[in-house]
Amino acid sequence: MTIYTGPVFEMAAKQFETIADYIEIPADERARLLYPKRAITVSCPIHRDDGSIAVFQGYRVQHHLTLGPTKGGTRFSLSVDMGEVAALAIWMSWKCALAGLPYGGAKGGITVDPSSLSPHELEALSRRYMQEMIPFVGPQIDVMAPDMGTNEQVMAWFMDTYSMYQGKTVTEIVTGKPVASGGTVGRREATGRGVVHLAMRAAERAGIAALGATAIVQGFGNVGSVAALELAERGVKVVGVSDHTACYYDPRGLDVPALVAYAAQHRVLAGFSTEALWDPATLLAQRCDILVPAAMERVIDAAMAARLQCRVLAEGANGPTTPDADRVLEQRPEITVIPDILCNAGGVVVSYFEWVQDLQQFFWEEDEVNRRLRQVLDKAFDRTFARVSRDKVGERTAAMAIGVERVRDAKRTRGLFP
Ligand code: NAD
């Protein structure tokens, strides 16, 4: 399986081996659980605004089809390659299984810096990528969603392109769409909202009151900005935030609504203020109660794990903590880790609600969406921490084991065809 390479895939494979050892999966069952069922790569040509033709590489990995269609985000970033997409698809599988959703994991993306494209080029590339994927996706086969570098508008273009080829509107082909185009209320906020709901539950367990607690959020996109705002609304003092253009830290607390308004207008944090500018390399290591990495993978390595001064590590991003860092954190019981597959599951949970609503053409009120979101997350949280206590294992090991076991049980009962 040499097409899956690179540090992110190695990380997902290493994590899986740890779980497989812990729950004693026989050697000959492991490859079937770990390796993706399908991996698709496409070349996407577009006309640039100057009339020239540019070709971009696109990917989609569908990890397993055992529990239903696959489900997962689409990432537009220069880091995207087959290994990264495969790792993200694998994590989606464990995440969906932990939350009890009837999905396998998928992930896709294009190797591109979306900020280097004009609006017209971005639309052309989004539409061409979906068009190339039509033979491989479908509402009962593989359902896309947004991820880093994509948003509601990109999902609307995906849905429209797919629908044009079907000759009818098929809203259930993607989730994370604008509400006006068959999206659900509460989806845009769902991931950040879920992160904060679970961070509060972990804080409560650790005896930390929301009012007066402090937080740092890395990444100020969909997940990070909503998480920062939700934290502030609950009385938590947000003392540090960053994106790829700027980093601010002030122990007296930052004005989160003003930061959110600035980012909504300028799309970046750079230029917000000349005060409180901070070195991004040391932001995560500052003292706080709740630390939310919500940007990218592998930002907490073993050295950073040793320097953390938080009490709750709420992983908004996928894969922010390396396996070596996990070993360090297992020796630091004063830090409660809410692992990514649990912490950021709010996004896929409400994506599932969106898919269900689209299939039924029956739409819920936002309080219904939020109530059901909390219900699903609370159940996954309780099961994870019960397992931590029972087996004396780390939080990531517990959460992943529950996910892997569900997929494994389904594969076992379905058997191996033919
Ligand atoms: P986004 O594109 O909306 O935002 C990404 C943010 O990260 C931006 O603010 C960007 O400036 C920042 N960033 C990039 N590099 C950085 C760096 N070196 N230092 C600090 N900040 C940096 O993406 P998103 O949807 O918010 O996703 C963020 C993470 O959350 C990803 O790991 C993604 O896979 C994960 N996630 C997203 C969702 C979702 O619903 N959007 C769901 C689950 C998990």
Side-chain angles (χ1 to χ4, degrees):
M1 301 281 182
T2 49
I3 60 167
Y4 306 114
T5 55
V8 188
F9 185 79
E10 280 165 24
M11 184 172 148
K14 204 165 172 180
Q15 287 172 342
F16 174 75
E17 281 306 315
T18 305
I19 302 307
D21 289 343
Y22 156 52
I23 57 176
E24 298 177 348
I25 299 178
D28 67 343
E29 243 187 273
R30 296 188 182 195
R32 189 177 173 217
L33 277 163
L34 177 66
Y35 286 106
K37 172 58 69 186
R38 295 183 188 138
I40 301 133
T41 171
V42 291
S43 297
C44 303
I46 60 160
H47 282 294
R48 298 212 80 141
D49 289 350
D50 65 5
S52 64
I53 294 172
V55 180
F56 296 89
Q57 200 67 41
Y59 303 90
R60 186 82 186 161
V61 169
Q62 299 166 350
H63 179 227
H64 77 82
L65 310 168
T66 311
L67 287 163
T70 50
K71 183 86 193 73
T74 315
R75 179 174 284 195
F76 288 1
S77 160
L78 285 175
S79 69
V80 166
D81 61 21
M82 188 62 96
E84 180 181 286
V85 169
L88 289 160
I90 291 167
W91 289 328
M92 272 303 282
S93 285
W94 314 146
K95 187 186 301 184
C96 292
L98 172 65
L101 307 181
Y103 292 138
K107 209 79 180 191
I110 301 177
T111 315
V112 62
D113 172 4
S115 68
S116 70
L117 301 174
S118 71
H120 170 256
E121 291 168 344
L122 180 63
E123 177 173 355
L125 185 57
S126 302
R127 288 185 180 279
R128 184 64 190 237
Y129 172 78
M130 175 47 106
Q131 186 272 328
E132 296 288 352
M133 287 294 161
I134 286 176
F136 311 106
V137 298
Q140 305 294 343
I141 299 169
D142 183 13
V143 180
M144 295 183 185
D147 192 72
M148 229 158 111
T150 58
N151 55 22
E152 289 185 354
Q153 177 59 72
V154 173
M155 295 307 111
W157 289 327
F158 281 0
M159 188 273 280
D160 183 68
T161 302
Y162 187 85
S163 297
M164 287 296 136
Y165 277 85
Q166 304 302 315
K168 60 182 178 184
T169 297
V170 188
T171 52
E172 59 271 28
I173 184 62
V174 295
T175 61
K177 301 177 294 294
V179 174
S181 299
T184 181
V185 286
R187 171 60 184 91
R188 190 190 309 154
E189 301 83 1
T191 309
R193 203 169 260 168
V195 167
V196 173
H197 176 70
L198 295 177
M200 289 297 130
R201 288 220 44 200
E204 196 184 321
R205 280 181 99 246
I208 303 165
L211 207 61
T214 55
I216 291 174
V217 180
Q218 180 193 48
F220 215 70
N222 175 279
V223 181
S225 66
V226 173
L229 204 55
E230 288 268 328
L231 285 163
E233 280 170 6
R234 288 166 194 244
V236 176
K237 191 160 66 168
V238 177
V239 294
V241 298
S242 70
D243 73 356
H244 70 287
T245 65
C247 175
Y248 301 102
Y249 174 76
D250 185 342
R252 293 169 302 173
L254 297 164
D255 184 347
V256 178
L259 282 157
V260 170
Y262 184 87
Q265 193 183 346
H266 300 271
R267 301 174 71 174
V268 291
L269 290 177
F272 171 72
S273 162
T274 49
E275 287 172 27
L277 279 168
W278 195 260
D279 173 12
T282 65
L283 182 71
L284 298 182
Q286 297 310 302
R287 183 177 297 284
C288 63
D289 293 306
I290 299 164
L291 178 62
V292 185
M296 46 201 267
E297 299 90 29
R298 299 167 65 242
V299 290
I300 300 172
D301 58 12
M304 182 54 81
R307 290 169 61 202
L308 294 182
Q309 297 190 70
C310 60
R311 308 270 307 280
V312 173
L313 174 59
E315 295 184 343
N318 284 309
T321 307
T322 67
D324 289 346
D326 277 335
R327 301 291 86 76
V328 175
L329 290 171
E330 277 166 16
Q331 303 307 314
R332 299 194 59 188
E334 74 278 16
I335 299 178
T336 302
V337 179
I338 315 174
D340 52 1
I341 63 164
L342 170 63
C343 194
N344 67 34
V348 70
V349 170
V350 177
S351 275
Y352 166 62
F353 297 162
E354 181 175 335
W355 181 71
V356 167
Q357 292 171 73
D358 283 339
L359 286 170
Q360 299 183 346
Q361 288 296 300
F362 179 74
F363 290 87
W364 310 349
E365 299 292 333
E366 189 160 357
D367 55 0
E368 171 89 355
V369 170
N370 292 337
R371 184 182 63 76
R372 287 179 183 264
L373 168 65
R374 287 192 298 273
Q375 204 172 37
V376 175
L377 292 180
D378 281 339
K379 194 170 163 192
F381 183 92
D382 291 340
R383 291 184 70 200
T384 300
F385 282 87
R387 183 99 176 215
V388 168
S389 305
R390 191 193 78 185
D391 287 2
K392 309 280 175 278
V393 291
E395 296 91 340
R396 189 179 324 283
T397 303
M400 286 185 66
I402 295 167
V404 171
E405 279 169 355
R406 177 160 185 239
V407 177
R408 182 192 184 203
D409 287 350
K411 283 194 185 288
R412 277 188 164 177
T413 48
R414 285 187 64 160
L416 187 58
F417 179 85

